[in-house]
Amino acid sequence: GTGTGYIPEILLPHYRNSLYMLNDIAPKMIEIVENKFLDRGNFKFHVGDIENDNFQDHNLIISNLALQWTNNLEKTLEKFYKKSNILAFSCLLDGTFKEWNNIVRNYNITSVIKKYPKEKVLISFLNKLNPKTYHFDSMEFQLTFPNNRSFIYYLKSLGANARNEVMPINILKSLIKEPDNEFTVTYKIFFGIMKRI
């Protein structure tokens, strides 16, 4: 999930001559990073689904806030752990957008936001991979929105509602029409760095 390529930009001053493979499921993102790193001969680009594509071994694999969109997080983490000397990643945790879940519960529907892993369950799984060394941490932060409408548009652009369930249109319209009441949503993020060898 390379997105617009800000992680390679951070790495380049320290690893100028390393080989980079940038992957994203969105062709538009790959187009952006291809243009950004056009003059660099040590970059390769791949449009693909990280969950289903077969990647080569790497010294370092980094994924920032992309893995939680997979259908099978544990299987995907294990695959990338086995394909890298070091795996560094972040993903959303259970409790993310809890305020929004409470709002939609008032309409007697369950959230259409994808369920994220519980921190203890995730750590338990990662420890079973027996990393040589590791560092796990989590952090909470909050974003404030002026109204429901702005948050709904934010969710749409983020892709955070990527589930099979769809919110009924009448409820969606009601949520958008609610008076402008500022509200804050919580992000819970897990960070993992695992050295395999």
Side-chain angles (χ1 to χ4, degrees):
T2 191
T4 57
Y6 66 91
I7 288 180
E9 288 177 315
I10 293 168
L11 293 174
L12 265 171
H14 308 284
Y15 304 100
R16 192 162 294 284
N17 299 316
S18 294
L19 300 177
Y20 291 82
M21 166 63 78
L22 305 185
N23 175 80
D24 204 285
I25 199 167
K28 187 69 178 169
M29 290 296 109
I30 293 300
E31 185 182 318
I32 290 169
V33 293
E34 279 181 322
N35 289 329
K36 186 179 280 189
F37 301 111
L38 193 62
D39 60 335
R40 303 205 59 89
N42 55 337
F43 276 67
K44 291 184 180 179
F45 308 93
H46 177 72
V47 176
D49 181 350
I50 58 174
E51 197 164 12
N52 297 311
D53 287 2
N54 187 22
F55 292 93
Q56 298 175 345
D57 291 350
H58 290 78
N59 286 325
L60 170 64
I61 293 178
I62 298 174
S63 177
N64 184 38
L65 294 176
L67 293 176
Q68 71 272 350
W69 309 130
T70 61
N71 293 313
N72 190 328
L73 175 62
E74 291 182 356
K75 184 178 175 185
T76 306
L77 280 168
E78 184 174 15
K79 175 174 89 169
F80 283 116
Y81 176 71
K82 289 179 177 177
K83 291 279 186 182
S84 62
N85 294 334
I86 299 171
L87 172 62
F89 72 97
S90 63
C91 72
L92 298 178
L93 289 171
D94 182 54
T96 296
F97 304 142
K98 62 186 177 187
E99 299 85 355
W100 181 248
N101 287 336
N102 292 336
I103 287 172
V104 298
R105 231 177 261 124
N106 291 333
Y107 284 83
N108 295 318
I109 62 168
T110 56
S111 175
V112 294
I113 294 175
K114 187 175 176 76
K115 291 189 177 180
Y116 306 123
K118 294 185 183 300
E119 185 172 7
K120 285 183 180 179
V121 173
L122 182 57
I123 289 174
S124 175
F125 168 75
L126 295 173
N127 282 325
K128 288 178 187 171
L129 296 176
N130 294 316
K132 183 176 180 182
T133 59
Y134 64 89
H135 177 78
F136 302 145
D137 202 357
S138 63
M139 182 178 110
E140 257 188 43
F141 72 92
Q142 297 175 320
L143 290 178
T144 300
F145 293 86
N147 51 43
N148 289 347
R149 184 176 55 258
S150 63
F151 181 69
I152 289 168
Y153 289 135
Y154 170 78
L155 275 183
K156 186 177 179 196
S157 67
L158 185 67
N161 57 338
R163 285 180 70 182
N164 292 332
E165 295 92 342
V166 177
M167 184 178 289
I169 192 70
N170 62 322
I171 292 175
L172 190 58
K173 285 180 180 178
S174 295
L175 285 164
I176 289 172
K177 287 179 182 175
E178 278 190 10
D180 287 354
N181 290 320
E182 191 177 86
F183 76 102
T184 300
V185 291
T186 300
Y187 270 87
K188 292 184 77 171
I189 303 178
F190 180 85
F191 301 91
I193 302 172
M194 304 167 63
K195 186 175 182 182
R196 187 171 54 87
I197 55 174

